């Protein structure tokens, strides 16, 4: 696997935002460049040439460049920066894959309670009550910030709790998500992982299946395996796989990861999003990590974790030595991300190469 190109968006020609570069002095008054008379477009580039059959595209592009030409030069950098990073264009740029993932989230929301926890998850429910500050489960894949805002407006959810009952003294509630959000999935598949053509990815603790569905839509991974301890969540994943016909590349196993040695040994990418902390007691967590460190051994394969291995292991008693096992791969969290990106969440994502 070649890791040198990590960070390049898979679709690097179109990229994120609008991929706009600052107009140079070539921009004539009125914004139209006259260099290439054979093309009706304002600028003849590779992508323009490819799209040139479409006159609407050319005319729209010319109009935008004309508009940019009318902006005073001193204001252009700020305008272009806004165009590169704003979410205001989302409704125009959302591709079909984003829409499909949002439809899947709709389907899953309809099958689950608001807190997205099952009554069978005793330990996780108990652990949340032991948090030092009042904390609620809010699944980041099912409920994005806008959705939470609308639930708060309807009085179905709150971001705050009352510190002195009946008073206006309030403090923010802690939120815990047991899934990656759409934004995190796109960061992982577009910016963190390399091209996955022909590769096998394993999501340890696949829960709602978000990593698998994201991998199906945003990567070329040949096989995506999910291993999930909870049978009810396995059924939900199967429901989505069937409905969206993902079964040619996704397989879900209802199992404890500690029984899946050969799957882990053959994986090219292993994803572990806070798998054990809320679901196993400390002795079980230590045992599960020992199992992972003995079986995720394929040289050059990748292990993506939230939080870092150091953080997960620091509170457990294990014999795991990180330096002979893995090397951390630095990630660029600033890469062309929308301006309202939750950077704190992205900084929890860590990537390691197996030595
Ligand atoms: C935080 S969720 C991860 C969800 C998903 N991977 C994602 O990123 O959106 C962790 C899941 O791991 C499962 N789990 C915990 N211990 C496990 C084990 N030993 N084997 C398989 N699954 C396990 C839990 O049931 C839970 O659904």
């Amino acid at each position: 696997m070649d890791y040198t190109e990590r960070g390049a968006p898979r679709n690097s020609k179109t990229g994120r935002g609008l991929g706009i570069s600052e107009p140079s002095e070539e921009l004539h008054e009125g914004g139209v460049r006259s260099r290439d008379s054979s093309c009706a477009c304002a600028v003849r580039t590779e992508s323009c040439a490819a799209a040139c059959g479409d006159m609407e595209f050319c005319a729209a592009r010319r109009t935008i460049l004309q508009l940019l030409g009318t902006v005073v030069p001193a204001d252009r950098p700020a305008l272009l920066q806004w165009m590169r990073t704003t979410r205001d264009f989302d409704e125009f740029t959302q591709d079909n894959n984003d829409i499909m993932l949002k439809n899947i989230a709709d389907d899953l929301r309809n099958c689950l309670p608001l807190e997205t926890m099952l009554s069978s998850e005793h330990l996780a429910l108990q652990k949340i009550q032991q948090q030092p500050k009042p904390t609620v489960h809010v699944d980041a894949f099912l409920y994005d910030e806008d959705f939470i805002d609308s639930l708060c407006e309807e009085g179905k959810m709150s971001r705050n709790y009352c510190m002195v009952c009946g008073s206006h003294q309030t403090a923010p509630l802690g939120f815990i998500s047991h899934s990656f959000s759409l934004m995190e999935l796109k960061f992982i598949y577009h910016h963190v992982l390399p091209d996955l053509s022909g590769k096998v990815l394993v999501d340890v603790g696949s829960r709602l299946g978000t990593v698998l569905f994201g991998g199906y839509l945003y990567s070329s991974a040949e096989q995506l395996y999910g291993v999930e301890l909870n049978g009810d969540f396995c059924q939900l994943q199967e429901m989505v796989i069937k409905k969206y016909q993902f079964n040619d590349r996704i397989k879900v196993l209802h199992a404890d990861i500690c029984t899946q040695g050969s799957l882990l040994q053959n994986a090219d990418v292993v994803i572990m999003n806070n798998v054990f902390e809320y679901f196993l007691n400390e002795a079980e967590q230590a045992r599960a990590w020992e199992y992972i460190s003995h079986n995720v051994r394929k040289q050059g394969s990748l292990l993506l974790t939230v939080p870092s291995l150091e953080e997960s292991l620091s509170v457990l008693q294990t014999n795991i030595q990180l330096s002979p096992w893995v090397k951390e791969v630095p990630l660029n969290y600033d890469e062309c991300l929308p301006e309202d990106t939750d950077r704190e969440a992205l900084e929890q994502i860590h990537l390691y190469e197996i030595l």
Side-chain angles (χ1 to χ4, degrees):
M1 201 182 284
D2 176 15
Y3 303 131
T4 54
E5 284 188 14
R6 181 165 306 105
R10 280 190 314 122
N11 193 359
S12 55
K13 277 215 173 125
T14 44
R16 289 186 160 234
L18 293 183
I20 299 157
S21 52
E22 212 169 318
S24 65
E25 63 287 355
E26 266 188 277
L27 198 65
H28 294 181
E29 211 186 331
V32 184
R33 290 170 210 214
S34 55
R35 201 159 31 126
D36 190 340
S37 55
S38 63
C39 176
C41 300
V43 196
R44 186 165 175 83
T45 62
E46 209 182 311
S47 61
C48 179
C52 239
D54 184 345
M55 292 307 291
E56 252 190 66
F57 167 83
C58 295
R61 187 172 183 155
R62 188 164 47 187
T63 308
I64 289 171
L65 284 163
Q66 276 171 348
L67 194 66
L68 284 171
T70 64
V71 175
V72 287
D75 287 345
R76 273 189 209 147
L79 181 67
L80 291 168
Q81 177 61 15
W82 168 78
M83 290 174 90
R84 278 190 205 101
T85 56
T86 181
R87 297 287 302 270
D88 292 355
F89 299 133
D90 273 10
E91 61 181 300
F92 307 116
T93 58
Q94 263 190 358
D95 63 22
N96 200 39
N97 292 335
D98 294 14
I99 292 166
M100 221 193 267
L101 279 181
K102 286 191 173 170
N103 288 343
I104 292 172
D106 284 344
D107 292 341
L108 290 169
R109 256 196 315 271
N110 291 334
C111 301
L112 287 160
L114 191 60
E115 67 278 13
T116 323
M117 294 295 291
L118 300 178
S119 52
S120 53
E121 299 188 282
H122 308 291
L123 195 58
L125 291 167
Q126 201 182 317
K127 283 199 177 190
I128 204 94
Q129 280 166 4
Q130 292 163 354
Q131 295 295 312
K133 124 180 181 189
T135 300
V136 288
H137 287 109
V138 181
D139 190 279
F141 179 68
L142 302 190
Y143 300 96
D144 63 17
E145 291 298 316
D146 293 343
F147 208 110
I148 293 174
D149 284 344
S150 54
L151 286 174
C152 290
E153 274 163 29
E154 289 168 31
K156 292 183 181 157
M157 196 183 271
S158 175
R159 288 186 187 274
N160 300 300
Y161 69 96
C162 178
M163 292 167 75
V164 185
C165 202
S167 86
H168 293 285
Q169 257 189 292
T170 60
L173 274 168
F175 280 13
I176 284 190
S177 169
H178 293 303
S179 298
F180 281 129
S181 65
L182 184 62
M183 180 268 298
E184 288 167 305
L185 289 172
K186 290 175 80 165
F187 177 68
I188 289 169
Y189 285 111
H190 289 168
H191 297 284
V192 175
L193 296 176
D195 179 7
L196 298 183
S197 306
K199 305 295 176 191
V200 172
L201 178 147
V202 175
D203 182 31
V204 181
S206 51
R207 198 168 183 87
L208 300 180
T210 55
V211 169
L212 307 176
F213 310 144
Y216 191 99
L217 296 168
Y218 297 136
S219 88
S220 310
E222 186 170 302
Q223 272 302 324
L224 299 141
Y225 289 96
V227 181
E228 173 55 59
L229 204 52
N230 186 304
D232 296 322
F233 282 121
C234 289
Q235 277 184 16
L236 277 178
Q237 292 175 68
E238 294 293 357
M239 175 196 86
V240 174
I241 292 169
K242 191 165 172 218
K243 176 169 176 184
Y244 292 85
Q245 300 180 344
F246 288 158
N247 50 355
D248 56 333
R249 288 166 56 215
I250 296 184
K251 195 160 171 46
V252 173
L253 305 170
H254 176 200
D256 181 338
I257 194 61
C258 298
T259 64
Q260 299 300 311
S262 71
L263 188 68
L264 291 172
Q265 288 154 26
N266 290 312
D268 298 296
V269 179
V270 175
I271 310 273
M272 297 187 65
N273 179 13
N274 216 0
V275 186
F276 306 130
E277 185 183 343
Y278 288 92
F279 301 92
L280 305 179
N281 66 38
E282 284 188 9
E284 290 166 334
Q285 287 181 50
R287 180 179 148 261
W289 275 114
E290 294 276 5
Y291 190 86
I292 294 286
S293 74
H294 284 122
N295 288 284
V296 179
R297 283 280 162 185
K298 186 169 168 178
Q299 203 182 1
S301 63
L302 294 174
L303 173 61
L304 185 147
T305 67
V306 168
S308 67
L309 285 173
E310 289 82 350
E311 189 176 335
S312 294
L313 297 175
S314 64
V315 288
L316 302 173
Q317 288 202 316
T318 70
N319 292 319
I320 300 169
Q321 299 289 318
L322 289 183
S323 55
W325 176 35
V326 293
K327 180 179 88 187
E328 180 148 19
V329 180
L331 300 180
N332 179 0
Y333 300 101
D334 292 320
E335 214 168 340
C336 283
L337 294 167
E339 61 193 2
D340 63 347
T341 295
D342 182 353
R343 205 190 141 104
E344 220 177 293
L346 297 188
E347 283 173 354
Q348 292 289 306
I349 297 174
H350 293 263
L351 184 69
Y352 303 88
E353 186 179 339
I354 306 300
L355 298 172

